[in-house]
Amino acid sequence: MTAIAESPAPRVRAARRPSLVWLGVVPFLAFAFLFLLWPTLYIVVAAFRTPQGDWTLANVLGLFQKSILDAYWISIRISLASAALGCLIGLLVAWAVVLGGLPAWLRGPVMTFSGVASNFAGVPLAFAFLATLGRVGLVTILLRDWFGINIYAMGFNILSFWGLTLVYLFFQIPLMILIITPALDGLKREWREAAAILGASGAQYWRLVALPILFPSLLGCFALLFANSFGAVATAFALTGSSLSIVPILLFAQIRGDVLNDPHLGYALAFGMIVVTALANGLYVWLRLRAERWLK
Amino acid sequence: MTRAFAWIAFALGAIYFFLPLIGTVEFSLRMLRGQYSFEAYRRVLADPRFLDTLGYSVAMAVATIVFGVLLVVPTAFWVRLKMPRIRPLIEFITLLPLVIPAIVIVFGYIRLFNTSSILPLTGSAMGTNVLLMFGYATLALPYMYRAVDTGLRAIDVRTLTEAAQSLGAGWVTILARLILPNVLVAVLSGAFLTFAIVIGEFTMAALLNRPAFGPYMQLLGANRAYEPAALAVIAFAITWACMGLMQLVTRFQKHTRAQR
Amino acid sequence: MPFLEIARLEKSFGALRVVRDFNLAIEKGEFVSLLGPSGCGKTTVLRMVAGFEAPDSGTIRIDGQDVLGLRPNQRSIGMVFQAYALFPNLTVAQNVGFGLKVKGTGRAEMDARVDEMLRLIGLPDLGQRYPFQLSGGQQQRVALARALAPKPQVLLLDEPLSALDAKVRVSLRNEIRAIQRDLGITTLFVTHDQEEALSMSDRVVVMNGGLAEQVGDPHEIYNRPATRFVAQFVGTLNVLEAEVTDPAAGRVRLAGQEIALGRPLPPGRASLALRPEVVSLGPAPGRDLRLAGRIAEVHFLGSVIRMRVAVGSDHVSLDAFNRPDAPPPAVGEAVELSVSPRDLLVLEG
C-alpha cells in the first residue's frame, strides 16, 4: 500500500461520507417536508398575506370578531374539559386495572378495548351517541320510561358543550388508558412499600411520591388529549352538520366554501388552531422540563 | 377498600363504554316498527355505494400501509444504525401529526397542490388519490414510526447488520431479508392501527372530495335514521377486528420470543 | 423478654407453604440474619414483620405488642430494600426526612434530624442531590438513613447489598454493622450471602424450604451445623462417604483406610464433612489422621492455592498459602492429607 501517501482518493471519500449517510433519511425528510411541514408553513404564511400577496395583519385581526372568538372559546373549553376529564377518568380506570387489585386477566381485554375505542372516533361514534342519547335513543327512552326522567326536558342536548364533551370522552378516556398504563407500570412496588413503612398513608404516598413521579407523563397525556379533541372534525360534523360553531367545523365549512366569503380568513382560522395547539404543547414542554429536574 | 374503589371505577367505566354500544345495536335493529330486525343492515349492504366506498377505503388503507412501511422501516433502521444523533429530530417530526390538526394539513394540501401549482396533484382523480394516501401516511406516521422503532429496539440492529455485511449482503438484502422479518410483528401492529384509522377517516377524504367510507357514512347519517346505527356497528366491528388481529400478532411475537 | 418475637408463623401462597412453623426471638439491640437460598421463605418472613404480607397464622410481637393488626405505616419499623427504593423525585434530604414529614414533624426538628442522619452515613454534603446523581452504595446509605430517621423500633434489611459491586458491598456491610451497634437498634437482615450473614450477625437463622434449619451464632452455625443443609449451604464443604465398622468406638472405613474418630457413631454408612481449612497437605501438628490421595486439580489464585484431591471416589478441596520458594503441587502427584478427627463433622440425614 505505497499509494496511500500520494493518492488523495481516500481523503475525498472520507470527506464525502457524511453526505452519503444523510442520503438515507432524505426520502423521509422529503416526505415530511412536502406533506407535513410545507403545507403547515404555507397556511401560516398565507395567514399574513393579502390575496394580492402583500403582507398584512388583517386576516389575523379578522379573527377578533365575536362569532369567531366564541368558536375558539367553546373549542378550547370542550378540549380542556374532555382532556381534563379524560386524563382523570382514564387515570382512575388504568389505576384500577394496573394497581387496584382487579383480577389480572381483566387487563388484556381492557387494553384491547381501549385500542378499539380510542380509534372509534369520527362519524360512527356520533351515530352511536345519537342512537343512545339522541331524542329517541335507548338511554333517553329508558330513563324516560323507567325513571320518569326526561333529559331533554331538563335541558340536555348532545350538541351542547357538555353533550360534546361526553361524546369526546369516548375516545379520550381509552387513549388516556393506553398511554398512561406504561407510566403506572413504572411505579415501583418498593416506592409504595417504602412510603408505607415510613409511616405514610395511601393518600400521602400519592401526593408526595406517585403523582409527582407521574406528573410529566400526565402533562404529556393532557397535551395530547387536548390536541386530539381540538382538531377533531368528524364527530362534531356528523352530529350536527355545520350548525355547531366550533373552530374545526368553522374551518371545514370555510374550506368547502359554505360560509365565510373571505378565503384568507380561513388561513387565519387554521393559523389560530396551530397557535392554540402549539401553545398547549409549548406549555407542556416547559412544565415538563421543570417537573423533570430529578430525571437524568 | 382499595379494591372496592377499583371495582367501582372499573364498573362506571364499563357502563359508560358499553351503554352507547348497546344503544347503537338496539337502535340499529329497530327499523321495522314493533319488532327487532336486521332490515337496517340489509339496506346498508344492499346499497352499492356502501361496498364501493368501503372498497375504496380498504384500497387506500392497503396503499397507505405499503407506502408507510417502505418509508418508515428503512428510515428508522438507518437512523438507529448510522445517525442516532438525529433521532430526536425524526421523533419530533413523527409526533407532529398528533399536534397539527389533520384539517389544517389537508387545507394546506388543497392550496399547495392545486391545478395551478408546480405539483398539481389535485388536478386528476389519481393524483388526488395519491395525495390522500400521503395524507393518511402522515396521520399514521406517529403510530407506524413508534411501532417500528420499538421493534428495532428489541433487536441488535448494528450487530445483525454487520454480521450480514460480513457475509456479503447488500442494503436491499439486509432490509428485506433481515430487518423486515425481525420487525414484522411491529410492522403488522402498526399496519392494523393504520387500517383502523384510514377506514373511518372523514376530514381529509371529504375535503379532497374522494368517495371514501367516512364521507359516505356522514352522508348517510345526514339523510337516514336507522342505517347509520347499523353502519356504526359495522365500523365498530371492523375496528375491533383490526385491534384483535393486532393483539393476536403481538401475542404471537411474545410466544416466539419466549421459545427462543 | 425478647424485643421482637415471632411465634408459630405460617404462610402459604396457594398450595405452596413458603413459611412453616417459624419461631424466632430477638433481643433488643441484636442483629439477626435470615440466611438461605432464594425461595426459602426468608423474605416472606421479613415482609410479614413489615406488614406487607399477612401470615396465615402465628404471632409477631414488638416490645410485647402484637403488631399483626397494624398496617405497615403504624408499626414503627424501618426498612431498607434491595435497590432503587429511594423516591426519585425527592432530594436526598427530602428522602431522609420523608418519614418525619408524613408524621408532621416541625421544620427545624426535621432539618436537624436529617443533618444528623446524613452525617451518620458520612454524606453530609449531598443533601440537595437527587438519587440519580448518587452511586449505588451512596443510594443504599441514604436508604439506611431514611429508614433510621424516624427512630424506628426495629430495622429490617432486605438484601440491601446484593445490587452493589463486590468492593462496595464489603465496606458498606461493615458500615451498616457499625451504625447498628452505635444506635443499638434491633435488626433483622435477610441475605442469601453466607459471608455477609456470618460477618455481620450476632445470630444467624439458616432457612430452607420455609423452615428454620438452625439458629445460632455465626461460629456455631459454621462449625457445628445442625443439618446437612446448613453444613452445605454455609461455607465450602467436603463430604466423604464412609462405612462405620465399629459404631461404639467410632471406627470407620474411609477410602480403603481404617480411621478412628474417637466418638460413637450410628451403624451403617456415615457422611463425614470437612471444611477446606481443617485439611493440611502433608503432616501437620495436631492433625493425626492421615488420608492418602492424589492431586486432581490445582488452581493458583495468587495468595492462595486451591486444590482438589481425589480420596478414593470422593474429592477433598483444600487451600494452601502460596510460598514464593516452592512451586504448587502438580496434578497427579500422590499426596497425604492430615486432619484432626475432631474437625470431622458427621452429617445427619
Side-chain angles (χ1 to χ4, degrees), chain A residues 90-261:
Chain A
L91 177 65
L92 272 179
V93 175
W95 166 83
V97 173
V98 176
L99 301 169
L102 297 188
W105 58 263
L106 215 54
R107 184 179 169 145
V110 168
M111 289 301 142
T112 311
F113 182 86
S114 299
V116 175
S118 65
N119 282 294
F120 188 64
V123 181
L125 177 64
F127 295 165
F129 269 86
L130 284 176
T132 308
L133 282 168
R135 285 184 188 276
V136 288
L138 180 68
V139 170
T140 312
I141 289 176
L142 289 186
L143 283 175
R144 191 189 64 203
D145 293 354
W146 291 1
F147 304 102
I149 303 170
N150 186 338
I151 51 172
Y152 277 85
M154 292 164 71
F156 175 81
N157 183 351
I158 208 160
L159 307 181
S160 66
F161 166 74
W162 282 113
L164 213 53
T165 303
L166 188 72
V167 177
Y168 280 13
L169 282 177
F170 198 90
F171 57 81
Q172 297 279 57
I173 293 172
L175 183 62
M176 179 67 183
I177 294 174
L178 283 183
I179 53 187
I180 200 65
T181 297
L184 288 181
D185 281 333
L187 290 177
K188 292 190 176 19
R189 187 181 72 171
E190 283 86 350
W191 292 335
R192 185 164 42 78
E193 292 182 346
I197 205 82
L198 286 164
S201 65
Q204 280 173 320
Y205 160 68
W206 275 92
R207 185 165 57 83
L208 296 170
V209 180
L211 282 178
I213 290 174
L214 288 177
F215 189 63
S217 309
L218 290 175
L219 272 179
C221 294
F222 185 84
L224 192 61
L225 263 57
F226 180 87
N228 194 31
S229 108
F230 191 74
V233 178
T235 310
F237 191 78
L239 277 174
T240 74
S242 26
S243 64
L244 187 72
S245 270
I246 59 173
V247 180
I249 296 287
L250 223 56
L251 180 57
F252 187 87
Q254 207 287 323
I255 297 171
R256 278 224 167 147
D258 292 352
V259 187
L260 303 166
N261 291 319

Side-chain angles (χ1 to χ4, degrees), chain C residues 209-285:
Chain C
L211 285 168
E213 298 248 339
Q214 186 176 7
V215 184
D217 66 48
H219 190 264
E220 182 184 340
I221 293 277
Y222 187 79
N223 292 300
R224 289 194 300 281
T227 65
R228 177 186 285 260
F229 173 80
V230 175
Q232 286 180 325
F233 188 75
V234 180
T236 312
L237 199 71
N238 300 300
V239 180
L240 302 169
E241 296 302 328
E243 194 184 330
V244 181
T245 51
D246 184 346
R251 295 182 70 83
V252 297
R253 178 183 294 278
L254 179 63
Q257 305 163 63
E258 192 87 3
I259 55 176
L261 294 181
R263 55 193 141 127
L265 291 170
R269 298 197 63 79
S271 297
L272 303 179
L274 277 171
R275 298 288 185 198
E277 65 269 22
V278 303
V279 185
S280 319
L281 198 61

Side-chain angles (χ1 to χ4, degrees), chain B residues 28-248:
Chain B
S28 71
L29 301 175
R30 260 201 255 164
M31 191 162 194
L32 296 183
R33 197 167 280 275
Q35 59 168 339
Y36 283 138
S37 70
F38 289 102
E39 180 63 15
Y41 293 88
R42 199 191 57 74
R43 293 219 189 155
V44 166
L45 294 175
D47 183 350
R49 283 176 306 164
F50 168 79
L51 278 182
D52 288 351
T53 55
L54 187 60
Y56 177 85
S57 282
V58 168
M60 287 306 288
V62 171
T64 306
I65 288 165
V66 170
F67 175 77
V69 169
L70 289 180
L71 182 73
V72 164
V73 173
T75 305
F77 163 73
W78 195 252
V79 168
R80 276 208 170 259
L81 184 69
K82 298 273 184 183
M83 310 179 74
R85 276 182 305 117
I86 69 159
R87 245 187 81 203
L89 172 72
I90 302 286
E91 276 185 0
F92 174 76
I93 291 175
T94 60
L95 289 177
L96 277 180
L98 295 180
V99 178
I100 305 172
I103 188 170
V104 173
I105 297 175
V106 75
F107 190 21
Y109 287 0
I110 292 170
R111 299 300 154 119
L112 261 185
F113 303 111
N114 62 25
T115 40
S116 58
S117 72
I118 40 167
L119 207 62
L121 284 174
T122 55
S124 67
M126 201 55 219
T128 315
N129 288 344
V130 171
L131 184 61
L132 182 59
M133 191 265 284
F134 285 151
Y136 286 162
T138 312
L139 293 187
L141 193 58
Y143 307 100
M144 202 55 153
Y145 197 91
R146 276 257 305 255
V148 171
D149 202 46
T150 313
L152 283 174
R153 195 186 313 155
I155 60 173
D156 188 348
V157 172
R158 184 173 297 271
T159 312
L160 273 180
T161 307
E162 282 167 2
Q165 279 176 320
S166 74
L167 296 171
W171 287 118
V172 175
T173 316
I174 288 174
L175 272 173
R177 312 258 323 246
L178 190 70
I179 300 302
L180 197 57
N182 269 300
V183 294
L184 190 63
V185 171
V187 168
L188 278 177
S189 75
F192 288 124
L193 203 57
T194 306
F195 194 89
I197 293 170
V198 171
I199 281 296
E201 206 282 334
F202 168 74
T203 313
M204 283 190 163
L207 289 177
L208 288 174
N209 264 323
R210 297 317 297 153
F213 193 51
Y216 165 71
M217 286 196 287
Q218 191 273 328
L219 195 71
L220 202 70
N223 300 310
R224 298 287 166 82
Y226 296 97
E227 287 93 330
L231 264 182
V233 172
I234 294 170
F236 190 81
I238 294 174
T239 317
W240 188 267
C242 289
M243 293 303 135
L245 285 172
M246 201 171 113
Q247 285 275 314
L248 214 63

